[in-house]
Amino acid sequence: MKLTRKMVLSRAKASELHNVRKLNCWGSRLTDISICREMPSLEVITLSVNSVSTLEPVSCCRRLSELYLRRNCIPNLDELFYLKDLPHLKVLWLAENPCCGTSPHLYRMTVLRNLPHLQKLDNQAVTEEELTRALMEGEEITAAPGREGVGSGCPKPSYTLNSITAETGRGLLSYTEEEADIQGQLSLKPSAGGPSPSFSQWDMLSSHKSKNILTAILLLLRELDTEGLEVVQQTVASRLQALHRQELQDME
């Protein structure tokens, strides 16, 4: 599937491509992101769980600071060539792509040798020691890759709830406004000039992890169409019924 102008403007809530700064296309079955060449102001983009096979289009996004590409079809680390001239790139998530190969150490060293300005790689902070070792143990990439055979045999994207939470929570697009809106819907906001509410739906959640998971789920719901929401509704109803039955059994 091709990422289109209409999709970009709708998801970014923007009127023109050159104004788009943050874009979330997580799990959208994308194979073609060539439209990124028309978004020079882009700073954060999430493309995880798609079928993207080249990084060339994002080489035009000179302001890019965060790039999330977990579980795509990037064939080899030569694709890093397209990221070497992005001076503001600080966060990269490239794990679970074919380019990662069978040696996690060589993969990480090669990425850091070619992108020494990264502060976080695959959700793990980059250390000064790693950057020093990368100069000796990583492979330098000096040319753009050939395009022959790229994208063939790509596995079907999959995901886990933990990965959704990690990428859609505090580290991904920093959805501060959307999170505030969601928390408001859950009675998180205190009344103006008054004390915080003593009890709310949010308070019922037993842990910080549960709150992060719920926030991630609610954010992702906004990306679903009617058919997808109906599936979610049916699944939730079935799960609630099962939990209620379990509670009744425990009371007997």
Side-chain angles (χ1 to χ4, degrees):
M1 180 182 294
K2 184 175 183 178
L3 181 60
T4 64
R5 182 177 186 275
K6 181 178 180 180
M7 291 172 62
V8 171
L9 297 181
S10 174
R11 297 191 179 203
K13 297 179 176 62
S15 57
E16 298 294 339
L17 290 176
H18 62 79
N19 291 329
V20 175
R21 296 176 58 191
K22 297 181 180 181
L23 181 63
N24 183 3
C25 293
W26 189 98
S28 300
R29 301 191 297 274
L30 297 176
T31 57
D32 186 340
I33 58 168
S34 56
I35 198 170
C36 287
R37 301 188 189 102
E38 302 176 42
M39 292 186 279
S41 299
L42 193 63
E43 297 176 2
V44 181
I45 184 169
T46 302
L47 295 166
S48 294
V49 194
N50 282 289
S51 298
V52 176
S53 60
T54 178
L55 302 180
E56 186 275 330
V58 300
S59 65
C60 299
C61 305
R62 298 283 295 173
R63 298 184 183 180
L64 194 65
S65 62
E66 298 182 27
L67 175 59
Y68 299 88
L69 276 159
R70 185 184 61 86
R71 292 198 181 185
N72 272 273
C73 300
I74 307 302
N76 55 67
L77 291 178
D78 288 346
E79 292 287 333
L80 293 175
F81 179 82
Y82 297 119
L83 306 182
K84 296 182 72 170
D85 290 328
L86 300 181
H88 303 291
L89 187 62
K90 302 299 182 185
V91 178
L92 175 64
W93 199 330
L94 195 59
E96 300 175 79
N97 274 274
C99 66
C100 297
T102 58
S103 173
H105 178 74
L106 178 59
Y107 154 72
R108 190 171 178 87
M109 291 295 99
T110 297
V111 173
L112 294 181
R113 175 167 183 174
N114 291 277
L115 304 175
H117 297 298
L118 286 182
Q119 296 178 357
K120 183 178 288 188
L121 173 60
D122 297 337
N123 207 33
Q124 182 178 341
V126 175
T127 66
E128 290 295 332
E129 180 183 356
E130 283 184 308
L131 292 174
T132 301
R133 293 177 60 187
L135 292 174
M136 299 293 295
E137 301 174 20
E139 298 178 357
E140 185 175 5
I141 296 169
T142 59
R147 300 258 51 89
E148 293 82 10
V150 170
S152 60
C154 180
K156 182 178 180 180
S158 59
Y159 59 89
T160 64
L161 188 55
N162 285 339
S163 65
I164 296 174
T165 305
E167 294 183 31
T168 316
R170 304 298 173 184
L172 180 59
L173 291 182
S174 301
Y175 279 114
T176 52
E177 293 183 4
E178 291 195 50
E179 287 185 1
D181 179 50
I182 288 171
Q183 293 173 0
Q185 295 173 26
L186 293 173
S187 304
L188 273 175
K189 294 180 180 178
S191 57
S196 299
S198 59
F199 181 80
S200 70
Q201 289 173 282
W202 196 261
D203 295 323
M204 295 173 64
L205 298 177
S206 60
S207 68
H208 180 69
K209 179 180 178 181
S210 296
K211 295 176 183 179
N212 280 346
I213 292 174
L214 180 58
T215 300
I217 291 172
L218 293 176
L219 287 171
L220 290 173
L221 285 177
R222 300 187 177 194
E223 306 296 332
L224 295 178
D225 56 16
T226 302
E227 182 179 357
L229 289 171
E230 289 176 350
V231 172
V232 172
Q233 183 181 38
Q234 294 171 5
T235 303
V236 170
S238 177
R239 176 61 175 160
L240 285 173
Q241 290 176 2
L243 290 174
H244 289 159
R245 286 196 298 269
Q246 183 63 47
E247 289 176 356
L248 291 175
Q249 292 175 2
D250 293 341
M251 293 173 62
E252 294 177 354

